[in-house]
């Protein structure tokens, strides 16, 4: 599994027009399928008079959870090109919804594919894209005389210290990128008196 992924920080909006059909695209940051459904419902209410609300979403750092929906457009002409834009930008934890107002001129399947793809691409272009890391946490206790050994590991591997308390028995919670987690754990295991806390 990758230990870094790209997502968006804000809701962005773009409008694309093709032969009088108007495509309003939203890129929305989401964390769950429930959030995606709630956002789609919100857009359906707001654009109740639109003919189609087509969408695609992708979730998870490994980008394995995704869905696309044509909402009545010919199969593969809307959801798929929207999802294609999410993929080509390597984004996740994102929903892109494209609302279409029909302009009276049929676009044909290739015209629809281009229009939905362009609308999605423009919404992504308007968004702030950031890279996030997949971080894991580890908590442990140790006796005070072994503080220097623990701090040497912390200095070498540079995890974030989330919690620490130094009494007779010291406690610490660290957070580190997934790729370095095993190395951190292995080095801590070698320290005398140290025990991991679930």
């Amino acid at each position: 599994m990758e230990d870094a992924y790209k997502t968006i920080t804000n809701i962005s909006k773009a409008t694309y027009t093709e032969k009088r059909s108007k495509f309003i695209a939203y890129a929305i940051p989401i964390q769950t399928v429930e959030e995606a459904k709630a956002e789609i419902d919100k857009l359906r209410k707001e654009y109740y008079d639109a003919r189609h609300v087509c969408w695609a979403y992708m979730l998870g750092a490994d980008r394995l959870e995704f869905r696309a929906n044509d909402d009545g457009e010919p199969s593969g002409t809307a959801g798929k090109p929207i999802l294609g834009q999410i993929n080509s930008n390597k984004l996740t934890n994102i929903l892109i919804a494209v609302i279409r107002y029909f302009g009276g001129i049929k676009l044909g399947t290739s015209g629809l594919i281009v229009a939905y793809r362009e609308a999605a691409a423009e919404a992504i272009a308007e968004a702030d894209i950031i890279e996030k890391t997949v971080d894991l946490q580890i908590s442990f206790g140790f006796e005070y005389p072994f503080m220097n050994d623990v701090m040497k590991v912390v200095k070498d591997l540079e995890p974030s210290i989330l919690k620490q308390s130094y009494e007779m028995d010291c406690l610490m919670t660290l957070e580190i990128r997934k790729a370095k987690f095993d190395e951190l754990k292995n080095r801590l295991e070698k320290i005398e008196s140290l025990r991991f806390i679930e």
Side-chain angles (χ1 to χ4, degrees):
M1 178 177 153
E2 291 286 322
D3 81 336
Y5 60 93
K6 288 199 301 186
T7 188
I8 60 171
T9 58
N10 59 316
I11 294 178
S12 61
K13 181 182 174 186
T15 306
Y16 179 80
T17 310
E18 180 64 39
K19 293 182 178 156
R20 299 213 302 267
S21 269
K22 191 173 169 193
F23 297 83
I24 303 161
Y26 284 89
I28 302 168
I30 53 163
Q31 298 295 326
T32 62
V33 173
E34 290 68 40
E35 273 182 54
K37 287 178 177 160
E39 291 292 347
I40 294 160
D41 287 345
K42 229 179 345 188
L43 290 170
R44 282 193 199 288
K45 285 192 185 84
E46 189 179 338
Y47 296 96
Y48 63 90
D49 55 342
R51 185 173 283 202
H52 305 282
V53 178
C54 306
W55 51 266
Y57 65 72
M58 185 162 288
L59 290 167
D62 47 13
R63 305 176 70 245
L64 292 176
E65 192 174 356
F66 55 87
R67 274 199 65 195
N69 188 302
D70 295 315
D71 192 36
E73 291 282 31
S75 179
T77 60
K80 222 174 176 176
I82 296 170
L83 187 61
Q85 285 304 308
I86 294 173
N87 267 325
S88 63
N89 287 278
K90 296 186 170 57
L91 293 167
T92 191
N93 293 354
I94 183 173
L95 162 72
I96 295 182
V98 181
I99 297 108
R100 180 187 181 196
Y101 284 95
F102 184 54
I105 301 166
K106 290 202 163 163
L107 300 182
T109 51
S110 59
L112 285 171
I113 290 168
V114 169
Y116 279 104
R117 187 179 67 216
E118 287 305 311
E122 287 182 21
I124 292 170
E126 292 296 320
D128 291 327
I129 295 174
I130 54 160
E131 184 165 271
K132 286 188 167 185
T133 55
V134 180
D135 300 319
L136 298 176
Q137 290 180 15
I138 189 164
S139 298
F140 52 91
F142 56 95
E143 289 165 17
Y144 194 80
F146 299 98
M147 170 65 76
N148 283 346
D149 299 339
V150 171
M151 291 319 286
K152 181 171 180 358
V153 174
V154 168
K155 189 170 168 281
D156 290 351
L157 296 178
E158 300 177 329
S160 305
I161 299 173
L162 300 184
K163 273 192 244 153
Q164 53 189 340
S165 67
Y166 307 121
E167 315 280 308
M168 276 302 289
D169 203 24
C170 306
L171 296 171
M172 198 177 269
T173 298
L174 303 176
E175 185 173 74
I176 196 162
R177 262 183 92 148
K178 190 174 186 295
K180 288 170 114 182
F181 182 79
D182 289 342
E183 187 186 351
L184 175 66
K185 191 167 185 214
N186 292 341
R187 288 200 44 191
L188 289 170
E189 273 170 350
K190 294 187 175 85
I191 297 171
E192 226 178 303
S193 92
L194 188 138
R195 63 190 194 288
F196 295 110
I197 301 160
E198 285 304 317

